[in-house]
Amino acid sequence: MNRVRKTLFCLLLLSGAAPAVAAVEAWRLDPVHTRVLFRVEHAGFSQALGIFPDVQGELYFDPDDWTSARLAVDIELARLEIGDIAWRDKLLSSTWLHAQQQPVARFRSTRVEATGKDQARVFGELTLKGVSHDVSLDVRLNKLARNPLTFKRTAGFSATAVLDRRDFAMAEWPNVVGQQVQLEIQAEAVRFTPSPEKENDDADPQHD
C-alpha cells in the first residue's frame, strides 16, 4: 500500500511540473470598432482617403505564440465610404474594384511571424477583383483585457500594409491615381467559443 501511495504521489508531482500548454483562443472581429482605411495619391495634389466599415472576420491566436495565429477577413466592398457618391460609384465600377462581380474582398493568413513585443507580421493571400496575391500586414497588439463597457474579453490591434494596385488588375489612370495603396487597419476582436466542428476547420468569418 505504501508503494502505491508513493507512486501516486510521484505522478502528481510530475503532472504538476509539466509545462502548461496555452490554448489558441478564438476571437471574432467587432464590426462596430473595426475599420479599413486606404490612402492613395490623387494626381500629386493630395492623398485620397476611403474607409471600409463593414469588416467581418475571425482570429485564432495565442499572444505568447504569434506563430500559431490564423486570420480570416471578409470586407463588403459596396459599403465603401469615400465622401462623394459619384466618385464612390466610379471606384466600385468594373474599372476599379468591380464590386458587382466580386462584392467581397477576402484575406486569409498563411503564416505569422513575431517581430517584437506585441508585434507581428501577418502573411497571407488577398483576393480582390477576382485576383489573389500575397500581401503582408505589420500588426501591433494594443491591448488585451476585459472591456469595461461590455465586460467581454477584447483584443485591440493596429495594422498597416502597402499594396500595388496593378497586382489586382487595376492599372488604369497611372498619371492620376497612385500605384501604391496604403492600408491602415484598426480592429477590435471579442473572445468567443467556437463550436467543436468549427475548431476542426480553418478560421473563416461567421455572419451572425
Side-chain angles (χ1 to χ4, degrees):
M1 180 63 72
N2 289 334
R3 181 176 296 177
V4 172
R5 288 176 178 174
K6 289 181 180 179
T7 301
L8 290 174
F9 180 70
C10 290
L11 288 173
L12 288 172
L13 286 177
L14 288 173
S15 63
V21 178
V24 178
E25 296 182 329
W27 305 78
R28 181 168 290 140
L29 292 180
D30 176 3
V32 177
H33 297 101
T34 300
R35 298 286 184 271
V36 175
L37 179 146
F38 71 84
R39 64 181 73 228
V40 61
E41 182 181 308
H42 178 234
F45 295 111
S46 66
Q47 295 287 318
L49 304 177
I51 294 177
F52 291 102
D54 191 3
V55 182
Q56 307 284 335
E58 288 181 4
L59 167 68
Y60 292 76
F61 90 113
D62 171 7
D64 295 322
D65 180 15
W66 283 90
T67 61
S68 64
R70 291 177 291 145
L71 174 65
V73 176
D74 284 359
I75 302 173
E76 187 177 342
L77 298 177
R79 294 293 303 277
L80 170 65
E81 297 176 0
I82 196 73
D84 181 85
I85 295 177
W87 191 12
R88 171 184 171 276
D89 291 344
K90 183 61 177 178
L91 288 178
L92 295 177
S93 72
S94 59
T95 301
W96 300 102
L97 297 173
H98 208 346
Q100 184 174 1
Q101 180 176 334
Q102 299 289 336
V104 177
R106 292 185 170 89
F107 176 82
R108 301 293 184 267
S109 67
T110 54
R111 63 187 174 93
V112 180
E113 297 178 355
T115 57
K117 179 176 172 54
D118 296 329
Q119 297 182 60
R121 181 163 293 126
V122 179
F123 298 88
E125 186 177 76
L126 175 65
T127 301
L128 182 64
K129 201 179 179 182
V131 178
S132 296
H133 198 275
D134 293 336
V135 301
S136 63
L137 307 173
D138 289 315
V139 180
R140 181 178 71 249
L141 172 62
N142 298 320
K143 185 176 182 179
L144 194 160
R146 191 171 299 278
N147 188 305
L149 298 177
T150 64
F151 303 106
K152 295 180 179 179
R153 188 164 171 77
T154 301
F157 302 89
S158 297
T160 58
V162 178
L163 310 179
D164 189 323
R165 62 185 177 88
R166 295 171 297 181
D167 291 336
F168 298 93
M170 291 181 280
E172 290 80 4
W173 295 88
N175 295 326
V176 178
V177 181
Q179 295 172 345
Q180 302 299 309
V181 181
Q182 301 176 56
L183 299 182
E184 179 181 335
I185 301 158
Q186 298 295 330
E188 293 185 18
V190 179
R191 177 77 169 89
F192 80 102
T193 302
S195 63
E197 294 81 7
K198 185 62 180 175
E199 288 182 307
N200 293 327
D201 296 334
D202 290 334
D204 210 10
Q206 296 289 303
H207 298 269
D208 295 330

